[in-house]
Amino acid sequence: MSFVVIIPARLASTRLPNKPLADLGGKPMVVRVAEQAALSGAARVIVATDHEDIRAACAAHGVEACMTRGDHPSGTDRIAEVAQLLRLPMDAVVVNLQGDEPLIDPRLLAACAAQIRPGVPMATCAHRLHEVADAFNPNVVKVVLDKANRALYFSRATIPWHRDRFAQSRDSLPPDYAPLRHIGLYAYSNAFLQSYPALEASPLEQIEALEQLRVLWHGHAIAVHVTDTAPAAGVDTPQDLARVQAHYRVDGS
């Protein structure tokens, strides 16, 4: 399947200022993310940004970038603008890759894009959890699926709730129980992506602080690709940045 990757990248960050331009082995983080995306087989990789410094950094390394407005409420709105500016066909598949995922497995992008089909305008990914601490951690978002691997619900709560086992103990997970952790990677049909900014915010997303619940609330299907392995963690904190910088020092690429 042909698909386009768009990487939203803002310079402002409360926890890690100038994060997209952080040095990773001699290249800015946003460039490293674009290089990983290019390994996925994407027909095109574009960085979507509202800051000239990010555009210039991309240009210096041969990465395509597109300037956007600065008032977008989310990365999804930002990539929708880019898809419109570039006049992508309405049937194009667009993958939304966060600009702080320099170690993302490129195969995951292709697998996510492949979930888009008639009647399923959006897709994402998940992996199974095996640690009890993760299952009960509200910062670890869980998803439950129907028999066709479409999302029924996303939550910070422990879902599905193992009624009998958890009534006895929450010290470990039952052997037949492995909740799914949501991976924040998305694909859309461009037609749906263009309609997304007009969707009314839902009460569910406001309660859970999970934007993807807006899509389910409005009755649209989200396909979920379940991967066997957890992806490498992104960069949210100075500690995360130090970890990824150490990876590039060891890897040397």
Side-chain angles (χ1 to χ4, degrees), residues 11-218:
L11 202 62
S13 172
T14 54
R15 288 187 290 182
L16 200 58
N18 300 326
K19 180 166 65 170
L21 300 179
D23 181 83
L24 298 181
K27 295 180 182 179
M29 182 186 303
V30 68
V31 171
R32 292 292 191 182
V33 175
E35 290 176 341
Q36 283 294 98
L39 297 175
S40 69
R44 194 172 180 183
V45 177
I46 308 111
V47 171
T49 185
D50 61 354
H51 203 285
E52 172 60 25
D53 288 355
I54 295 177
R55 188 209 63 78
C58 290
H61 291 86
V63 173
E64 183 179 3
C66 183
M67 296 296 292
T68 70
R69 304 197 319 265
D71 60 348
H72 287 300
S74 73
T76 310
D77 296 272
R78 191 175 306 281
I79 70 168
E81 182 191 356
V82 169
Q84 185 177 47
L85 289 172
L86 298 178
R87 300 183 183 277
L88 296 183
M90 283 296 156
D91 62 353
V93 175
V94 179
V95 173
N96 178 357
L97 173 60
Q98 297 303 308
D100 57 5
E101 298 279 355
L103 302 181
I104 190 77
D105 184 346
R107 294 171 297 181
L108 201 57
L109 278 65
C112 188
Q115 306 305 308
I116 301 299
R117 55 191 180 274
V120 183
M122 182 171 167
T124 190
C125 300
H127 70 89
R128 299 192 185 282
L129 289 173
H130 301 286
E131 299 297 329
V132 68
D134 290 331
F136 289 101
N137 183 350
N139 294 317
V140 175
V141 177
K142 274 72 70 174
V143 60
V144 290
L145 311 180
D146 68 10
K147 67 178 183 179
N149 273 20
R150 293 172 300 202
L152 291 170
Y153 192 65
F154 297 86
S155 183
R156 298 181 182 279
T158 307
I159 56 173
W161 183 260
H162 202 298
R163 187 197 66 173
D164 294 340
R165 176 59 181 268
F166 292 155
Q168 300 171 0
S169 171
R170 302 181 193 176
D171 294 334
S172 62
L173 298 180
D176 61 341
Y177 172 82
L180 291 173
R181 178 180 190 164
H182 176 232
I183 299 169
L185 175 70
Y186 297 100
Y188 320 82
S189 70
N190 189 33
F192 179 73
L193 180 61
Q194 295 307 316
S195 71
Y196 178 88
L199 291 179
E200 176 189 0
S202 76
L204 293 175
E205 73 175 283
Q206 293 169 340
I207 292 169
E208 295 257 21
L210 297 174
E211 183 183 323
Q212 64 270 30
L213 288 173
R214 181 184 312 183
V215 177
L216 297 182
W217 191 75
H218 283 278

